[in-house]
Amino acid sequence: MVAPLSSFFASINVVDLFLLSDMVGQAITVGLMLFSLVAWTIMFGKHFELKKLRWLNLSFENHLRDQRALLDLPESYRNKRTIPYADVFSDALEGYWRAAAIGKEKGVDSQRARLEHAENAIQRALARQTMRYESSMIFLASIVSGAPFLGLLGTVWGVMVAFSAVAVQQTASIQQLAPGVASALLTTVAGLVVAIPSVFGYNFLLATTRQLITEMENYASQLADRIELESK
Protein backbone atom coordinates (compact mmCIF):
# COMPACT_ATOMS: atom_id res chain seq x y z
CA MET A 1 0.00 0.00 0.00
CA VAL A 2 2.87 2.35 0.83
CA ALA A 3 4.72 1.73 -2.44
CA PRO A 4 1.81 2.68 -4.75
CA LEU A 5 1.18 5.84 -2.73
CA SER A 6 4.82 6.86 -2.83
CA SER A 7 5.03 6.22 -6.56
CA PHE A 8 1.84 8.22 -7.08
CA PHE A 9 3.14 11.29 -5.23
CA ALA A 10 6.54 10.92 -6.89
CA SER A 11 4.86 11.02 -10.28
CA ILE A 12 3.23 14.39 -9.53
CA ASN A 13 5.28 17.22 -11.01
CA VAL A 14 4.07 20.65 -9.95
CA VAL A 15 6.05 22.38 -12.68
CA ASP A 16 4.41 20.22 -15.34
CA LEU A 17 0.97 20.95 -13.90
CA PHE A 18 1.78 24.67 -13.93
CA LEU A 19 2.95 24.54 -17.55
CA LEU A 20 -0.14 22.58 -18.59
CA SER A 21 -2.44 25.20 -17.06
CA ASP A 22 -3.75 28.07 -19.15
CA MET A 23 -2.85 31.73 -18.50
CA VAL A 24 -5.70 32.28 -16.04
CA GLY A 25 -4.74 29.26 -13.95
CA GLN A 26 -1.07 30.27 -13.99
CA ALA A 27 -1.94 33.84 -12.96
CA ILE A 28 -4.05 32.62 -10.04
CA THR A 29 -1.31 30.21 -8.94
CA VAL A 30 1.38 32.91 -9.07
CA GLY A 31 -0.88 35.29 -7.16
CA LEU A 32 -1.47 32.69 -4.46
CA MET A 33 2.25 32.04 -4.13
CA LEU A 34 2.85 35.78 -3.69
CA PHE A 35 0.13 35.85 -1.03
CA SER A 36 1.84 32.93 0.69
CA LEU A 37 5.14 34.82 0.76
CA VAL A 38 3.46 37.92 2.14
CA ALA A 39 1.57 35.90 4.77
CA TRP A 40 4.72 34.17 6.03
CA THR A 41 6.55 37.52 6.15
CA ILE A 42 3.74 39.08 8.17
CA MET A 43 3.47 36.13 10.55
CA PHE A 44 7.18 35.97 11.36
CA GLY A 45 7.54 39.75 11.54
CA LYS A 46 4.50 40.16 13.78
CA HIS A 47 5.59 37.32 16.07
CA PHE A 48 9.00 38.84 16.73
CA GLU A 49 7.54 42.33 17.03
CA LEU A 50 5.03 41.27 19.70
CA LYS A 51 7.69 39.28 21.53
CA LYS A 52 9.99 42.31 21.62
CA LEU A 53 7.22 44.67 22.73
CA ARG A 54 6.21 42.35 25.57
CA TRP A 55 9.80 42.22 26.82
CA LEU A 56 10.11 46.02 26.65
CA ASN A 57 6.78 46.44 28.43
CA LEU A 58 7.70 44.13 31.29
CA SER A 59 11.09 45.81 31.70
CA PHE A 60 9.50 49.26 31.83
CA GLU A 61 6.80 48.10 34.25
CA ASN A 62 9.38 46.56 36.59
CA HIS A 63 11.37 49.78 36.47
CA LEU A 64 8.30 51.83 37.37
CA ARG A 65 7.45 49.46 40.19
CA ASP A 66 10.75 50.30 41.85
CA GLN A 67 9.96 54.04 41.86
CA ARG A 68 8.38 55.49 44.95
CA ALA A 69 6.68 58.41 43.18
CA LEU A 70 5.55 58.52 39.57
CA LEU A 71 4.39 62.11 39.31
CA ASP A 72 7.84 63.57 39.92
CA LEU A 73 9.85 61.31 37.64
CA PRO A 74 12.26 63.10 35.26
CA GLU A 75 11.46 63.91 31.65
CA SER A 76 13.56 60.99 30.41
CA TYR A 77 10.79 58.58 31.45
CA ARG A 78 8.38 60.29 29.04
CA ASN A 79 10.62 60.07 25.99
CA LYS A 80 10.35 56.31 25.44
CA ARG A 81 7.34 56.43 23.15
CA THR A 82 8.38 53.31 21.25
CA ILE A 83 7.47 51.24 24.32
CA PRO A 84 3.67 50.86 24.64
CA TYR A 85 3.69 51.02 28.44
CA ALA A 86 5.94 54.08 28.37
CA ASP A 87 3.61 55.75 25.87
CA VAL A 88 0.63 55.19 28.17
CA PHE A 89 2.63 56.48 31.13
CA SER A 90 3.76 59.57 29.25
CA ASP A 91 0.24 60.50 28.15
CA ALA A 92 -1.10 59.97 31.65
CA LEU A 93 1.44 62.29 33.25
CA GLU A 94 1.14 64.90 30.52
CA GLY A 95 -2.63 64.92 30.93
CA TYR A 96 -2.31 65.20 34.69
CA TRP A 97 0.13 68.11 34.70
CA ARG A 98 -1.62 69.88 31.81
CA ALA A 99 -4.85 69.87 33.80
CA ALA A 100 -2.96 71.14 36.85
CA ALA A 101 -1.42 74.02 34.88
CA ILE A 102 -4.72 75.04 33.31
CA GLY A 103 -6.47 74.79 36.67
CA LYS A 104 -3.92 77.05 38.34
CA GLU A 105 -4.26 79.64 35.58
CA LYS A 106 -8.02 79.72 36.02
CA GLY A 107 -7.88 79.38 39.78
CA VAL A 108 -9.99 76.20 39.77
CA ASP A 109 -7.32 73.55 40.19
CA SER A 110 -8.75 70.33 41.63
CA GLN A 111 -7.63 66.76 42.12
CA ARG A 112 -10.71 65.45 40.34
CA ALA A 113 -9.96 67.41 37.17
CA ARG A 114 -6.36 66.21 37.14
CA LEU A 115 -7.38 62.58 37.52
CA GLU A 116 -10.06 62.84 34.84
CA HIS A 117 -7.59 64.29 32.36
CA ALA A 118 -5.06 61.58 33.24
CA GLU A 119 -7.64 58.81 32.79
CA ASN A 120 -8.80 60.25 29.46
CA ALA A 121 -5.20 60.40 28.28
CA ILE A 122 -4.70 56.77 29.34
CA GLN A 123 -7.75 55.69 27.33
CA ARG A 124 -6.49 57.50 24.23
CA ALA A 125 -3.06 55.90 24.60
CA LEU A 126 -4.65 52.47 25.05
CA ALA A 127 -6.63 52.87 21.85
CA ARG A 128 -3.54 53.99 19.96
CA GLN A 129 -1.41 51.10 21.21
CA THR A 130 -4.21 48.60 20.53
CA MET A 131 -4.18 49.71 16.90
CA ARG A 132 -0.42 49.24 16.93
CA TYR A 133 -0.74 45.69 18.26
CA GLU A 134 -3.37 44.83 15.66
CA SER A 135 -1.53 46.34 12.69
CA SER A 136 -1.12 43.95 9.73
CA MET A 137 -3.64 41.54 11.25
CA ILE A 138 -6.44 42.70 8.93
CA PHE A 139 -4.31 42.04 5.86
CA LEU A 140 -3.39 38.59 7.18
CA ALA A 141 -7.05 37.85 7.87
CA SER A 142 -7.87 38.87 4.29
CA ILE A 143 -5.33 36.36 2.99
CA VAL A 144 -6.74 33.64 5.24
CA SER A 145 -10.29 34.18 3.99
CA GLY A 146 -9.46 35.07 0.39
CA ALA A 147 -6.95 32.36 -0.55
CA PRO A 148 -9.47 29.45 -0.58
CA PHE A 149 -11.82 31.49 -2.78
CA LEU A 150 -9.04 32.24 -5.25
CA GLY A 151 -8.25 28.52 -5.31
CA LEU A 152 -11.94 27.79 -5.88
CA LEU A 153 -12.01 30.33 -8.70
CA GLY A 154 -9.11 28.52 -10.38
CA THR A 155 -10.85 25.19 -9.87
CA VAL A 156 -14.08 26.39 -11.45
CA TRP A 157 -12.19 28.02 -14.29
CA GLY A 158 -10.24 24.81 -14.95
CA VAL A 159 -13.43 22.75 -15.06
CA MET A 160 -14.97 25.26 -17.47
CA VAL A 161 -11.91 25.04 -19.72
CA ALA A 162 -12.06 21.24 -19.68
CA PHE A 163 -15.75 21.08 -20.58
CA SER A 164 -15.34 23.77 -23.22
CA ALA A 165 -12.63 21.74 -24.91
CA VAL A 166 -14.84 18.67 -24.91
CA ALA A 167 -17.79 20.65 -26.28
CA VAL A 168 -15.77 22.16 -29.10
CA GLN A 169 -14.01 18.98 -30.21
CA GLN A 170 -16.87 16.66 -29.22
CA THR A 171 -14.27 14.22 -27.91
CA ALA A 172 -12.69 13.74 -24.49
CA SER A 173 -9.01 13.07 -25.14
CA ILE A 174 -6.40 13.67 -22.46
CA GLN A 175 -4.77 16.41 -24.56
CA GLN A 176 -7.98 18.43 -24.50
CA LEU A 177 -8.74 17.85 -20.82
CA ALA A 178 -5.20 18.32 -19.51
CA PRO A 179 -5.04 22.18 -19.35
CA GLY A 180 -8.35 22.50 -17.54
CA VAL A 181 -7.71 19.64 -15.14
CA ALA A 182 -4.17 20.83 -14.38
CA SER A 183 -5.44 24.35 -13.68
CA ALA A 184 -8.22 23.05 -11.44
CA LEU A 185 -5.94 20.79 -9.41
CA LEU A 186 -3.05 23.22 -9.09
CA THR A 187 -5.07 26.24 -7.99
CA THR A 188 -6.96 24.14 -5.45
CA VAL A 189 -3.73 22.90 -3.90
CA ALA A 190 -2.18 26.39 -4.02
CA GLY A 191 -5.19 27.92 -2.25
CA LEU A 192 -4.99 25.32 0.53
CA VAL A 193 -1.21 25.70 0.85
CA VAL A 194 -1.70 29.42 1.44
CA ALA A 195 -4.77 29.23 3.67
CA ILE A 196 -3.89 26.37 6.04
CA PRO A 197 -0.62 27.76 7.51
CA SER A 198 -2.05 31.29 7.46
CA VAL A 199 -5.10 30.40 9.53
CA PHE A 200 -2.97 28.71 12.21
CA GLY A 201 -0.56 31.64 12.25
CA TYR A 202 -3.39 34.17 12.38
CA ASN A 203 -5.10 32.43 15.30
CA PHE A 204 -1.81 32.23 17.21
CA LEU A 205 -1.03 35.92 16.60
CA LEU A 206 -4.59 36.91 17.47
CA ALA A 207 -4.39 35.10 20.81
CA THR A 208 -1.01 36.71 21.54
CA THR A 209 -2.34 40.15 20.62
CA ARG A 210 -5.37 39.78 22.88
CA GLN A 211 -3.12 38.67 25.73
CA LEU A 212 -0.89 41.72 25.30
CA ILE A 213 -3.88 44.05 25.12
CA THR A 214 -5.30 42.57 28.34
CA GLU A 215 -1.92 42.95 30.05
CA MET A 216 -1.74 46.57 28.89
CA GLU A 217 -5.24 47.30 30.20
CA ASN A 218 -4.28 45.84 33.59
CA TYR A 219 -1.12 47.94 33.60
CA ALA A 220 -3.14 51.06 32.73
CA SER A 221 -5.55 50.37 35.59
CA GLN A 222 -2.67 49.99 38.05
CA LEU A 223 -1.08 53.16 36.70
CA ALA A 224 -4.30 55.11 37.22
CA ASP A 225 -4.57 53.80 40.79
CA ARG A 226 -1.02 54.86 41.61
CA ILE A 227 -1.54 58.33 40.18
CA GLU A 228 -4.73 58.71 42.21
CA LEU A 229 -3.01 57.61 45.43
CA GLU A 230 -0.02 59.91 44.88
CA SER A 231 -2.19 62.91 44.09
CA LYS A 232 -3.91 62.85 47.47
Side-chain angles (χ1 to χ4, degrees), residues 56-64 77 83 85-86 89 219:
L56 291 173
N57 286 338
L58 293 177
S59 299
F60 185 81
E61 184 180 17
N62 291 333
H63 199 52
L64 278 189
Y77 282 82
I83 305 175
Y85 282 18
F89 172 77
Y219 158 80

Side-chain angles (χ1 to χ4, degrees), residues 68 97 158 162 198 201 230:
R68 293 185 177 181
W97 290 118
S198 298
E230 291 182 19

Side-chain angles (χ1 to χ4, degrees), residues 26-208:
Q26 292 178 355
I28 293 175
T29 303
V30 171
L32 286 170
M33 292 302 99
L34 291 176
F35 283 155
S36 178
L37 180 62
V38 172
W40 280 104
T41 302
I42 291 175
M43 287 188 291
F44 277 109
K46 196 66 181 178
H47 170 69
F48 289 114
E49 178 191 2
L50 294 177
K51 185 177 181 180
K52 180 181 178 181
L53 288 179
R54 189 171 192 273
W55 181 81
L56 291 173
N57 286 338
L58 293 177
S59 299
F60 185 81
E61 184 180 17
N62 291 333
H63 199 52
L64 278 189
R65 193 178 291 115
D66 296 335
Q67 308 301 317
R68 293 185 177 181
L70 299 183
L71 296 177
D72 298 326
L73 289 177
E75 189 71 20
S76 59
Y77 282 82
R78 308 181 195 177
N79 297 330
K80 302 177 180 179
R81 293 284 185 173
T82 56
I83 305 175
Y85 282 18
D87 188 50
V88 175
F89 172 77
S90 300
D91 276 16
L93 261 62
E94 288 178 4
Y96 181 89
W97 290 118
R98 188 184 302 114
I102 295 174
K104 288 181 180 179
E105 290 179 1
K106 296 182 178 180
V108 290
D109 184 25
S110 66
Q111 177 191 5
R112 181 178 179 182
R114 295 184 183 187
L115 294 178
E116 286 180 354
H117 278 75
E119 290 177 356
N120 290 336
I122 288 175
Q123 293 303 317
R124 288 192 296 270
L126 282 176
R128 182 171 60 250
Q129 293 302 324
T130 298
M131 293 177 62
R132 179 183 179 185
Y133 283 144
E134 295 177 346
S135 63
S136 303
M137 294 294 291
I138 295 178
F139 190 74
L140 183 59
S142 300
I143 293 177
V144 169
S145 58
F149 288 102
L150 282 176
L152 179 61
L153 174 62
T155 302
V156 174
W157 178 263
V159 173
M160 288 174 58
V161 170
F163 278 107
S164 297
V166 173
V168 171
Q169 300 295 330
Q170 296 183 353
T171 57
S173 65
I174 188 63
Q175 288 81 8
Q176 295 163 352
L177 294 176
V181 173
S183 178
L185 294 176
L186 189 60
T187 54
T188 301
V189 173
L192 294 176
V193 167
V194 176
I196 292 175
S198 298
V199 72
F200 284 108
Y202 174 78
N203 289 332
F204 174 78
L205 291 174
L206 183 62
T208 304

